[in-house]
Amino acid sequence: MGGLQKKKFERGSAANYITRNKARRKLQLSLPDFRRLCILKGIYPHEPKHKKKVNKGSTAARTFYLLKDIRFLLHEPIVGKFRDYKVFVRRLKKAYGKTEWSAVERLRENKPTYKLDHIIKERYPSFIDALRDIDDALCMCFLFSTFARTGKCHVQTIQLCRRLTVEWMNYVITSSALRKVFISIKGIYYQAEVMGQLITWVVPYQFSHDHPTDVDYRVMATFTELYTTLLGFVNFRLYHSLNLIYPPKMDSKVEMDQMEDDDYAMTSESNSEKLSALSASLARAVSSAEEEEAELDQFPVEGEDIEQMEAKEKEQKQQKLFKGLKFFLNREAPRESLAFVIRCFGGEVSWDKSLCIGSTYEVTDETITHHIADRPNIEKQYINRYYIQPQWVYDCVNAKMLLPVEDYFLGVNLPPHLSPFVEEKEGDYVPPEKLKIMALQRGEKPANEEEEEDEEEGEEEEEEEGDEEEEEEEDEEEEAEEKNLKMMEEQRSQGKSLQVKVTPGKVKAENSARLEEEEKAEEKRLAIMMMKKKEKYLYDKIMFGKKRKVREANKLAAKRKAHDDAEKSKKKKAKK
Amino acid sequence: MEESSKRSEQRKEMEKERKKGEKKRRKEEEEEEEEILIFNHKSAEKEKEDEDLSDSEDSVFSGLEDSGSDSEDDDDDDEDLKVDQNLSQQVKKEEEDVQSSLKKKDEEEEVKRDEYEHDSSDEEDIRNTVGNIPMEWYKDFPHIGYDLDGKKIYKPIRNKDELDDFLDKMENPDYWRTVQDKQTGSDVVLSDEQVELVKRLQRGQFGDVNFNEYQPQVEFFTQEVMLHPVTNRPADKRSFIPSLLEKDKVSKLVHAIKMGWIKPRRDSRDDSRGRYYDLWASEDTSNLARHRMHLPAPKIPLPGHHESYNPPPEYLFTDEERALWEQQDPVDRKFPFVPRSFSSLRLVPAFPRFIHERFERCLDLYLCPRQRKMRVNVNPEDLIPKLPKPKDLQPFPTTQSLVYRGHSGLVRSISVSPSGQWLASGSDDGSVRFWEICSSRCLKTVQVGGAVKSVAWNPNPSVCLLAVALDSAVLILSPALADRQVVLSSDRLLSAPQEAEPIEGDGLVNWSDTEGEELNQGIRLKIQHPKAVQQVAWHTKGDYLASVMPDHSSHLQVLIHQVSRRRSQNPFRKNKGLVQSVSFHPIRPYFFVATQRSVRIYNLVKQDLTKKLHANSKWISSMAVHPGGDHVICGSYDCKLSWFDLDLSTKPYRMLRHHRKAVRSVAYHRLYPLFASAADDGSIIVCHGTVYNDLLQNPLIVPVKVLRGHVITHELGVLDVTFHPTQPWIFSSGADATIRLFT
């Protein structure tokens, strides 16, 4: 045969992967620096298919990176900057040790910095890529902007995060890109559609954080470093796409009106604060009046396009949901969130002057249509406006229509707040509130509640009568019914919901049908017996999942029913 | 470093010199000590000088640096420092003064008084010589110390009590200005001047009356340029010529700047405003491989109704669910939070794990390996194999039609007569019963006196005999349930003359005719075995009978008897495992032996092993041979049924796991393509198994019916199953002491 003897682990998958420590040694970086580099460059470990082969026969748990990735990192200019920083730290320490303060100062001034522009460009070659990945950046920036300015991270970072998030919110307002809002126990979720990309972010509630000890803030800070850069560039691009001036400025007319307030603080500071108040529109590079009036020409369209057009129209309708409505926020309502949402949908909003800068009108304004308050009662109420709780705004946005105000009056038990992100498929459990909203959206008018209740009661009575009749047969057909129930469950699991009812007149006909069904079921059972082991396993798994889903839906429905019954009995007792 | 090395070198040299000196000393012992001393002194001096030198070098360098930095950067700081130094120097001086004075006090007694004439601190000592000690040491003594000669100095006699003191206070006009001198213990009346001084000091004024606190300040240096120099000293030369040191320093800095070691100061103003620009202005569509291979991180799943601050009531946890949630491991929980409901938005608190969640997301982003997983959306219906419908495969038994009751113990074994009219069953209650199949009537009961393990009807239709295995005996019964002809022929077979005594198995097996009561019952022959017999099996011709005596340790497990000649033989010389069941090939001279894990097929003519089938099961319970003889099925206690195609392989063609519990018995139908298996879960599964003559076509196996009816007693379900020889009927016997017929 001849030839060189083949050595193990020199080709194939073993040569394609590299362990983390080896990679670190190859890059000559310390572990924290390596971590930072990986975060900035978006390099993540890979799980080899044959771990033992890659691990050269050992089964120890190791993290593997692709060798190609590490080679790619070798050429990164930032690595050089990391080394510079190391030298800088060493020099600074030395200067401190020698108490050469002038040297310390000099070194401090020349602290090596690096820019992440090229990395952003490299990681997101097109703008859409960047937009697609901006969810995490937004979440992180919103979180950091709520941090107190002590410890944990640099004040500049916090300020920068705040600035960027305010810019983002202003953009969303101007482009009215917001689609869904959800108040969860974690925070408020927002979903916006920017350039066709759905972007979701969560904003924590405005409380000081109880900083956990088991969180490595260095990692978070590195991510934030990257994210702020990314968000800044994205904001710049977005602002320019709307012909807005990028470091955002207030519209000059508005500014003229508010010149009186300028004694409040330094101009630059007040400017940024006014921006964050979200109450004023932004200055445009090109005057806005012409642009708004220019409408799209209508072209005759066919078939599918009509649907798209309809969807577009709906969207536009949603964008002008609060148009012409004037809101006033009481001081206990979450101002920033509400102002953001209302302004996104074309409403006007104001608040008490002492609450925050940027209020546009007073409580006494006659034209206010909605007064949002989050307290059981307000003493002094004006006649020509609705006093509602904040949930109304969010529910309206999610329902894409103005919901009846009555359920949201002060002191009223609020209807449940549903997640707009859940899209029920067939066979899933749909809470009755959602059904109600869907009916409203379809344009059906809700029947009077009392009538509904009466109807329900009537139905129940009927059902009871029916039950009595059926009871006689039940003994005979108990077994059969059980089977039938099982069948129903199966069918439900297949996505159909059959309403099989046993009526006394059609016993025979049903029996034959049932026989047939039974036969079929048995056939299926027998066929299942003949499945191969692998397929059987897969089949069982799928069926288990489906059954579990059905079970969960049933459980929810049962729970709801129990709850409703309890409520009803309570009401009855109260009546008596 | 260099200096230190120099120093060490010098030291080494010094030591060398010292050593030399010592050597010299040894040589010149006559020399006087003084010289040596001088020598040592010299060396010490030298050392000192060296050190001084090095120090001076150091200081020169440091001074240079200092001066340079002073001139360059921050004058103010240094000035402050200087001031500080001055201050500290002053303080030091003062401290030194105090110390020296103290020392002097200590030494005062040794030194002449004249020296301290002007020292005010010593004036007290003129009056009193006890020294500077705390006076309370002598509080309880009559004296206050000792004089120079060691004699006690007594306190002035004071015997004033409170009353005297009071009277003194009342009467003495000078009482207020009387103070006690602690040093001497005597009262002193202050003079007017002294009182004045005290008052002034109390007011915070200078003690001296004539001292003017507000003297006009004389400025030494003024901003006005004076006509004459302050000093008359001519200017130094160094003020005229450029400093070499400074030049050196500057050139060094210039060099450092040139080489890029020192960078010019950056403008420190915030450049954040101009930091961002249109990064994607030149949208190059370079689609690198890197980007194609990139896996974007999956987005965080969106929240459902559970997470709402005011969810519908059904999404809230009940107490049980909450308890369960708390018990569960955080990893196993379906939600990482407990759904909660708040009546209004202002009551919603901060979420305590918000930062944790963000941090975990960060960790996921940079630590988790990403993998593209192809998830195929399989329709479960497609996974079910397409089989011919059972309807098309009829006939097969579908319903239970008859139940044969009568046994009181579990029925171990059943057998159908070749005519298809009679059914024999053996039970643990020690009886063999004969049933008429169509009427389910028990025609005959034979008490055999022991639990019956196995019954087998002679397959030869011209005789009517039944083999029964119980304990360690095999009985041949002639139930006389047939034509006269048949009964006669069977009698003839049994009463065949004993020509010669069997050669093999001589002492093992004992053939004996029965007499009396047993004969009346129909028991004709008794073959006594050395061990307990488990199973009997007839050859198709009906002359040979095999019996199984399972035993781990012996090679005597299977015996083949020839009924007509009353001969027995042990075909195997070696023990190849525990024999479970045996069977004859229906056509050819082959013999099947099922051991625990495998089935061996022996050629009876050639007397050798032809094949060994490996059933992939732990413990074979039963075996059946297809009437064609080319297929074998084996049931096993680990719920499996394996179908062997003898032409295909020694491995099972198909493993069927239809049963939930141990398979007890399997059977083939003689005519129809049916086979059945019975198990401890009380079910009998009838399968269609078509065998093709074409070797290329595999047998078609389709389960067609699951039959239930037997009640599970003592964890045992169906024990034996057998087909009717001509009809598509199946009999089963169970642990519930019944036999059932399914048609």
Side-chain angles (χ1 to χ4, degrees):
Chain A
M1 298 293 274
L4 282 172
Q5 192 189 355
K6 274 183 190 171
K7 277 184 188 167
K8 247 182 168 181
F9 310 124
E10 279 196 346
R11 55 175 72 198
S13 53
N16 286 334
Y17 290 95
I18 187 169
T19 62
R20 190 185 59 179
N21 257 342
K22 270 194 179 166
R24 211 172 52 72
R25 243 174 284 145
K26 187 163 189 163
L27 292 168
Q28 300 181 12
L29 286 174
S30 66
L31 194 56
D33 276 346
F34 179 68
R35 184 205 296 146
R36 227 158 79 202
L37 190 66
C38 282
I39 290 171
L40 295 178
K41 294 284 281 183
I43 301 294
Y44 46 85
H46 280 255
E47 188 82 359
K49 255 186 189 165
H50 304 286
K51 216 165 182 192
K52 205 175 163 191
K53 259 186 207 168
V54 173
N55 216 347
K56 316 218 160 147
S58 145
T59 48
R62 287 212 176 88
T63 321
F64 292 102
Y65 288 86
L66 273 185
L67 191 64
K68 261 185 193 171
D69 284 349
I70 300 303
R71 282 218 192 98
F72 169 68
L73 287 183
L74 272 178
H75 304 292
E76 179 55 46
I78 282 209
V79 177
K81 294 283 184 184
F82 284 165
R83 294 195 187 115
D84 283 353
Y85 195 82
K86 219 165 71 184
V87 173
F88 159 74
V89 169
R90 203 168 55 215
R91 281 191 180 146
L92 198 68
K93 259 188 195 166
K94 208 171 190 177
Y96 258 112
K98 285 184 174 174
T99 62
E100 291 172 357
W101 306 121
S102 62
V104 167
E105 198 182 332
R106 197 190 65 228
L107 284 169
R108 276 261 163 83
E109 270 163 11
N110 284 320
K111 184 178 169 184
T113 55
Y114 52 85
K115 283 192 161 186
L116 299 173
D117 306 5
H118 64 284
I119 288 183
I120 301 284
K121 175 81 180 164
E122 183 188 272
R123 282 183 69 170
Y124 308 107
S126 72
F127 180 58
I128 293 297
D129 292 334
L131 266 185
R132 216 174 280 156
D133 237 19
I134 208 150
D135 284 20
D136 289 315
L138 280 171
C139 290
M140 195 65 116
C141 285
F142 271 103
L143 172 64
F144 264 67
S145 66
T146 57
F147 277 177
R149 287 166 198 206
T150 47
K152 296 303 170 203
C153 68
H154 292 295
V155 180
Q156 288 96 318
T157 316
I158 296 168
Q159 280 167 345
L160 182 63
C161 282
R162 176 72 187 152
R163 211 193 87 201
L164 289 171
T165 50
V166 165
E167 281 169 14
W168 171 261
M169 285 199 286
N170 271 315
Y171 168 76
V172 173
I173 288 172
T174 323
S175 64
S176 58
L178 196 68
R179 292 288 172 270
K180 287 168 181 173
V181 196
F182 177 50
I183 321 170
S184 83
I185 49 175
K186 290 181 186 173
I188 302 179
Y189 286 87
Y190 299 94
Q191 190 172 58
E193 192 182 347
V194 181
M195 303 201 163
Q197 299 294 325
L198 279 179
I199 294 162
T200 317
W201 70 96
V202 57
V203 183
Y205 289 114
Q206 294 279 346
F207 292 106
S208 64
H209 293 280
D210 186 11
H211 286 287
T213 47
D214 51 344
V215 161
D216 191 353
Y217 277 90
R218 287 173 305 171
V219 173
M220 301 255 277
T222 314
F223 268 103
T224 314
E225 199 181 346
L226 177 76
Y227 285 154
T228 48
T229 322
L230 172 64
L231 191 56
F233 283 118
V234 167
N235 275 348
F236 185 93
R237 173 92 177 194
L238 287 175
Y239 271 70
H240 280 256
S241 71
L242 282 188
N243 274 330
L244 297 169
I245 300 167
Y246 172 58
K249 275 179 192 161
M250 316 285 269
D251 212 351
S252 54
K253 293 177 220 161
V254 184
E255 217 167 323
M256 290 293 278
D257 296 340
Q258 291 182 342
M259 282 301 264
E260 308 132 30
D261 303 338
D262 271 353
D263 54 335
Y264 167 73
M266 301 279 288
T267 40
S268 64
E269 231 172 90
S270 76
N271 204 17
S272 69
E273 291 218 4
K274 266 180 220 159
L275 266 177
S276 61
L278 303 172
S279 65
S281 53
L282 300 178
R284 285 173 189 266
V286 184
S287 67
S288 56
E290 298 163 19
E291 229 176 285
E292 278 176 11
E293 279 171 22
E295 275 185 24
L296 285 176
D297 291 339
Q298 296 271 342
F299 292 106
V301 283
E302 295 167 21
E304 293 173 13
D305 290 340
I306 292 179
E307 283 176 18
Q308 288 182 2
M309 289 293 287
E310 276 175 4
K312 239 181 208 175
E313 265 177 34
K314 256 188 190 173
E315 209 169 80
Q316 279 179 352
K317 218 178 178 185
Q318 195 202 350
Q319 284 174 8
K320 288 170 186 170
L321 187 65
F322 295 141
K323 190 119 201 171
L325 300 185
K326 260 184 145 178
F327 291 86
F328 188 84
L329 308 181
N330 230 11
R331 58 170 59 251
E332 70 278 357
R335 190 200 63 81
E336 192 172 290
S337 167
L338 279 170
F340 174 56
V341 173
I342 291 168
R343 293 254 302 129
C344 271
F345 293 96
E348 279 182 80
V349 66
S350 179
W351 46 84
D352 198 76
K353 218 184 205 174
S354 58
L355 178 62
C356 184
I357 195 172
S359 68
T360 44
Y361 44 85
E362 296 278 318
V363 205
T364 51
D365 196 332
E366 293 282 312
T367 52
I368 290 173
T369 55
H370 293 81
H371 189 120
I372 299 173
D374 199 2
R375 53 175 80 177
N377 201 8
I378 289 184
E379 284 179 7
K380 195 188 176 192
Q381 293 198 352
Y382 296 84
I383 296 168
N384 54 350
R385 64 179 79 161
Y386 295 121
Y387 284 84
I388 47 170
Q389 300 195 37
Q391 197 191 316
W392 182 79
V393 176
Y394 300 108
D395 280 353
C396 283
V397 168
N398 291 336
K400 300 180 183 174
M401 60 183 294
L402 293 179
L403 293 172
V405 200
E406 295 83 34
D407 300 341
Y408 298 90
F409 281 154
L410 300 187
V412 166
N413 250 355
L414 285 171
H417 179 65
L418 298 172
S419 167
F421 304 116
V422 180
E423 277 168 13
E424 278 93 357
K425 286 174 224 150
E426 264 185 40
D428 285 352
Y429 173 73
V430 186
E433 287 81 11
K434 180 125 186 179
L435 292 175
K436 226 185 249 175
I437 289 176
M438 274 152 72
L440 276 174
Q441 280 171 341
R442 266 179 267 128
E444 294 166 18
K445 280 191 180 173
N448 223 358
E449 268 188 33
E450 284 179 19
E451 275 178 31
E452 240 175 58
E453 270 178 25
D454 288 344
E455 275 172 27
E456 277 174 25
E457 279 171 21
E459 274 175 28
E460 265 178 26
E461 280 164 22
E462 280 170 28
E463 275 174 27
E464 277 166 23
E465 283 166 23
D467 283 343
E468 279 164 25
E469 285 168 24
E470 279 166 15
E471 264 174 32
E472 295 158 18
E473 297 161 10
E474 260 178 27
D475 293 336
E476 301 166 3
E477 295 181 349
E478 247 182 11
E479 281 187 21
E481 231 177 69
E482 264 188 27
K483 276 184 189 172
N484 215 18
L485 272 176
K486 259 186 196 172
M487 293 283 300
M488 270 175 68
E489 204 176 82
E490 272 183 14
Q491 268 168 348
R492 183 132 201 202
S493 68
Q494 286 160 18
K496 299 168 202 163
S497 55
L498 263 186
Q499 287 192 332
V500 181
K501 250 194 176 178
V502 184
T503 47
K506 293 176 184 173
V507 173
K508 276 191 179 174
E510 267 222 346
N511 265 352
S512 71
R514 193 187 293 160
L515 266 179
E516 229 169 71
E517 270 176 9
E518 264 176 40
E519 217 165 76
K520 266 190 186 170
E522 197 182 351
E523 214 173 276
K524 199 174 158 191
R525 239 188 349 259
L526 290 170
I528 286 168
M529 285 201 315
M530 283 305 286
M531 276 165 107
K532 280 173 194 163
K533 203 174 173 186
K534 222 174 178 179
E535 288 175 351
K536 180 88 187 295
Y537 176 72
L538 183 63
Y539 180 81
D540 283 349
K541 223 169 138 185
I542 295 173
M543 291 319 277
F544 177 76
K546 281 191 167 178
K547 273 190 189 144
R548 188 180 50 196
K549 242 184 194 174
V550 173
R551 222 183 308 133
E552 270 166 16
N554 288 345
K555 196 178 166 193
L556 281 177
K559 252 168 122 181
R560 177 69 182 210
K561 201 172 172 236
H563 179 263
D564 285 355
D565 288 349
E567 292 279 296
K568 231 176 230 175
S569 63
K570 252 188 209 173
K571 262 188 191 174
K572 270 183 190 172
K573 269 186 189 174
K575 270 183 191 175
K576 279 171 190 175
Chain B
M1 286 294 289
E2 284 181 19
E3 283 164 21
S4 64
S5 63
K6 267 184 199 169
R7 249 187 243 174
S8 61
E9 279 175 0
Q10 284 172 351
R11 266 190 203 145
K12 276 177 192 170
E13 283 175 8
M14 295 251 319
E15 279 176 3
K16 274 180 194 170
E17 279 179 354
R18 261 186 212 168
K19 279 173 189 171
K20 272 183 195 170
E22 281 175 356
K23 279 175 191 172
K24 272 182 188 174
R25 198 167 47 183
R26 276 174 206 160
K27 281 177 188 173
E28 305 163 331
E29 282 178 348
E30 318 92 287
E31 275 196 21
E32 288 176 16
E33 283 185 340
E34 281 184 11
E35 280 187 13
I36 296 164
L37 272 172
I38 290 162
F39 190 76
N40 280 345
H41 270 290
K42 269 183 185 173
S43 66
E45 275 172 7
K46 216 178 184 182
E47 201 177 321
K48 266 187 186 173
E49 274 177 12
D50 288 339
E51 277 175 4
D52 283 351
L53 254 177
S54 59
D55 279 346
S56 67
E57 274 174 8
D58 256 350
S59 64
V60 165
F61 279 112
S62 59
L64 258 180
E65 278 188 1
D66 276 346
S67 64
S69 62
D70 283 354
S71 60
E72 289 273 323
D73 295 312
D74 38 8
D75 300 358
D76 301 7
D77 280 6
D78 275 25
E79 272 183 8
D80 284 344
L81 274 176
K82 275 177 190 167
V83 169
D84 284 345
Q85 280 175 1
N86 286 340
L87 270 175
S88 65
Q89 277 174 1
Q90 283 176 0
V91 170
K92 267 184 190 172
K93 269 182 190 171
E94 284 168 4
E95 279 177 1
E96 278 172 8
D97 284 352
V98 171
Q99 279 177 356
S100 62
S101 67
L102 279 176
K103 272 181 194 169
K104 279 163 194 168
K105 269 182 199 168
D106 290 339
E107 294 162 3
E108 71 191 327
E109 301 208 337
E110 297 167 20
V111 191
K112 292 172 185 175
R113 261 180 203 174
D114 296 358
E115 286 182 26
Y116 302 101
E117 272 181 359
H118 308 290
D119 197 341
S120 61
S121 65
D122 290 331
E123 280 175 16
E124 313 168 294
D125 298 308
I126 298 167
R127 286 172 283 144
N128 192 351
T129 54
V130 291
N132 190 14
I133 52 154
M135 281 300 148
E136 65 261 20
W137 287 359
Y138 292 94
K139 203 167 63 186
D140 300 333
F141 295 101
H143 58 279
I144 52 166
Y146 305 90
D147 62 3
L148 264 178
D149 302 328
K151 284 175 184 168
K152 288 175 181 173
I153 305 171
Y154 286 96
K155 291 177 188 170
I157 300 156
R158 293 170 69 93
N159 44 8
K160 278 182 184 173
D161 53 2
E162 288 291 310
L163 194 63
D164 291 334
D165 201 32
F166 178 70
L167 286 175
D168 204 20
K169 194 177 178 182
M170 288 290 108
E171 288 165 4
N172 194 357
D174 286 340
Y175 178 80
W176 63 274
R177 58 163 70 171
T178 312
V179 288
Q180 193 189 358
D181 186 358
K182 270 187 188 167
Q183 206 75 25
T184 56
S186 58
D187 289 346
V188 180
V189 178
L190 298 179
S191 64
D192 281 347
E193 292 90 60
Q194 279 169 331
V195 169
E196 188 62 25
L197 183 65
V198 168
K199 275 179 182 169
R200 284 182 68 82
L201 287 177
Q202 274 175 342
R203 263 179 271 142
Q205 290 171 332
F206 280 91
D208 192 0
V209 186
N210 300 323
F211 184 75
N212 186 6
E213 298 166 53
Y214 306 107
Q215 275 170 345
Q217 190 187 358
V218 181
E219 286 182 8
F220 193 73
F221 293 107
T222 60
Q223 76 269 31
E224 292 152 21
V225 180
M226 287 197 280
L227 191 62
H228 301 290
V230 179
T231 58
N232 210 9
R233 193 158 169 251
D236 284 329
K237 185 188 175 185
R238 63 170 180 260
S239 62
F240 297 112
I241 57 169
S243 160
L244 277 177
L245 274 176
E246 275 177 11
K247 187 188 163 195
D248 201 21
K249 185 88 185 150
V250 167
S251 70
K252 262 185 186 170
L253 285 173
V254 167
H255 183 64
I257 290 169
K258 261 188 195 167
M259 298 301 287
W261 298 334
I262 296 176
K263 280 177 191 114
R265 226 171 257 190
R266 265 200 320 238
D267 49 346
S268 59
R269 66 192 164 74
D270 184 25
D271 57 345
S272 59
R273 292 286 152 178
R275 200 190 305 180
Y276 303 119
Y277 52 90
D278 196 356
L279 190 68
W280 294 278
S282 60
E283 197 116 355
D284 52 342
T285 50
S286 59
N287 194 1
L288 296 173
R290 162 138 233 103
H291 297 129
R292 281 200 302 277
M293 290 302 293
H294 177 69
L295 296 180
K299 293 193 172 182
I300 291 182
L302 292 169
H305 300 312
H306 288 272
E307 218 182 299
S308 169
Y309 88 103
N310 181 17
E314 63 266 32
Y315 288 97
L316 294 172
F317 278 171
T318 57
D319 291 342
E320 299 143 36
E321 281 171 327
R322 200 191 166 87
L324 183 72
W325 187 89
E326 271 160 10
Q327 271 180 9
Q328 269 174 336
D329 216 34
V331 187
D332 300 333
R333 286 172 184 165
K334 201 178 167 199
F335 305 110
F337 54 88
V338 182
R340 294 176 70 188
S341 178
F342 300 95
S343 60
S344 72
L345 190 53
R346 70 171 186 283
L347 300 176
V348 184
F351 186 63
R353 288 194 58 82
F354 196 91
I355 295 177
H356 278 282
E357 285 194 351
R358 290 307 336 150
F359 177 62
E360 273 155 24
R361 171 72 178 168
C362 288
L363 290 188
D364 283 353
L365 283 177
Y366 90 97
L367 278 182
C368 278
R370 295 181 200 169
Q371 214 168 37
R372 197 165 267 147
K373 277 216 166 144
M374 302 305 280
R375 180 158 291 168
V376 188
N377 213 353
V378 183
N379 184 8
E381 299 302 314
D382 297 345
L383 288 174
I384 300 171
K386 294 279 170 286
L387 294 172
K389 280 188 177 174
K391 250 186 202 170
D392 309 337
L393 299 174
Q394 273 167 345
F396 53 83
T398 51
T399 48
Q400 176 183 319
S401 43
L402 284 175
V403 182
Y404 304 83
R405 293 181 207 275
H407 280 294
S408 55
L410 40 95
V411 186
R412 290 250 181 222
S413 174
I414 49 175
S415 181
V416 188
S417 74
S419 60
Q421 201 180 351
W422 311 105
L423 175 72
S425 64
S427 161
D428 267 11
D429 59 0
S431 68
V432 175
R433 276 168 192 262
F434 295 90
W435 315 80
E436 188 176 21
I437 287 169
C438 299
S439 60
S440 84
R441 202 158 64 93
C442 179
L443 218 70
K444 203 173 178 185
T445 309
V446 180
Q447 294 295 337
V448 290
V452 180
K453 295 283 193 242
S454 170
V455 294
W457 212 290
N458 194 322
N460 189 352
S462 62
V463 292
C464 174
L465 290 175
L466 183 79
V468 177
L470 74 148
D471 293 341
S472 61
V474 174
L475 306 177
I476 310 288
L477 267 71
S478 173
L481 294 171
D483 300 348
R484 217 178 164 70
Q485 205 81 43
V486 174
V487 174
L488 278 178
S489 72
S490 53
D491 281 352
R492 210 176 304 132
L493 181 70
L494 288 178
S495 60
Q498 289 167 271
E499 287 159 0
E501 280 298 303
I503 306 154
E504 285 173 274
D506 195 2
L508 300 172
V509 181
N510 183 18
W511 293 71
S512 58
D513 288 320
T514 51
E515 292 156 350
E517 180 61 25
E518 286 184 334
L519 192 63
N520 286 348
Q521 282 191 330
I523 305 172
R524 302 295 301 273
L525 259 177
K526 191 171 187 184
I527 311 168
Q528 195 66 40
H529 286 65
K531 284 175 277 188
V533 182
Q534 277 293 331
Q535 193 218 349
V536 284
W538 286 97
H539 186 251
T540 343
K541 295 271 172 58
D543 194 17
Y544 288 95
L545 174 71
S547 59
V548 180
M549 300 167 282
D551 188 0
H552 276 295
S553 52
S554 162
H555 67 276
L556 181 68
Q557 294 194 78
V558 180
L559 280 173
I560 297 179
H561 314 284
Q562 192 178 7
V563 177
S564 59
R565 297 174 67 193
R566 298 206 179 182
R567 262 168 53 147
S568 304
Q569 55 178 331
N570 178 16
F572 303 120
R573 228 170 294 138
K574 266 186 191 167
N575 176 17
K576 297 276 174 125
L578 196 63
V579 176
Q580 297 294 317
S581 95
V582 295
S583 177
F584 286 99
H585 192 281
I587 304 157
R588 274 172 284 177
Y590 286 112
F591 190 55
F592 296 84
V593 179
T595 55
Q596 240 184 61
R597 309 289 294 268
S598 60
V599 177
R600 286 156 191 275
I601 304 168
Y602 294 95
N603 190 333
L604 290 173
V605 176
K606 287 185 189 167
Q607 301 202 334
D608 60 355
L609 179 74
T610 14
K611 230 170 221 178
K612 188 183 168 192
L613 311 177
H614 300 278
N616 291 335
S617 51
K618 293 270 156 56
W619 197 313
I620 293 171
S621 64
S622 56
M623 173 182 61
V625 184
H626 192 265
D630 279 343
H631 301 269
V632 176
I633 49 173
C634 284
S636 67
Y637 288 116
D638 51 354
C639 324
K640 286 177 194 163
L641 187 141
S642 35
W643 174 296
F644 294 96
D645 189 341
L646 297 186
D647 296 331
L648 199 67
S649 154
T650 59
K651 299 264 163 56
Y653 156 66
R654 209 65 175 290
M655 298 287 291
L656 307 173
R657 278 197 56 135
H658 295 168
H659 288 285
R660 296 266 162 74
K661 281 186 178 170
V663 177
R664 287 272 165 187
S665 171
V666 290
Y668 269 114
H669 198 283
R670 254 178 61 190
L671 301 176
Y672 292 103
L674 290 174
F675 67 92
S677 58
D680 273 348
D681 56 358
S683 69
I684 303 150
I685 294 178
V686 183
C687 299
H688 177 92
T690 317
V691 174
Y692 300 96
N693 284 331
D694 182 9
L695 280 177
L696 289 175
Q697 208 161 0
N698 286 325
L700 170 76
I701 300 171
V702 183
V704 287
K705 190 70 190 172
V706 180
L707 300 168
R708 282 171 213 280
H710 283 284
V711 182
I712 298 168
T713 41
H714 308 300
E715 301 270 307
L716 293 173
V718 189
L719 294 176
D720 199 8
V721 67
T722 182
F723 279 102
H724 192 273
T726 49
Q727 298 292 329
W729 297 348
I730 191 166
F731 300 92
S732 65
S733 70
D736 54 349
T738 60
I739 304 159
R740 283 157 204 262
L741 167 66
F742 299 91
T743 53

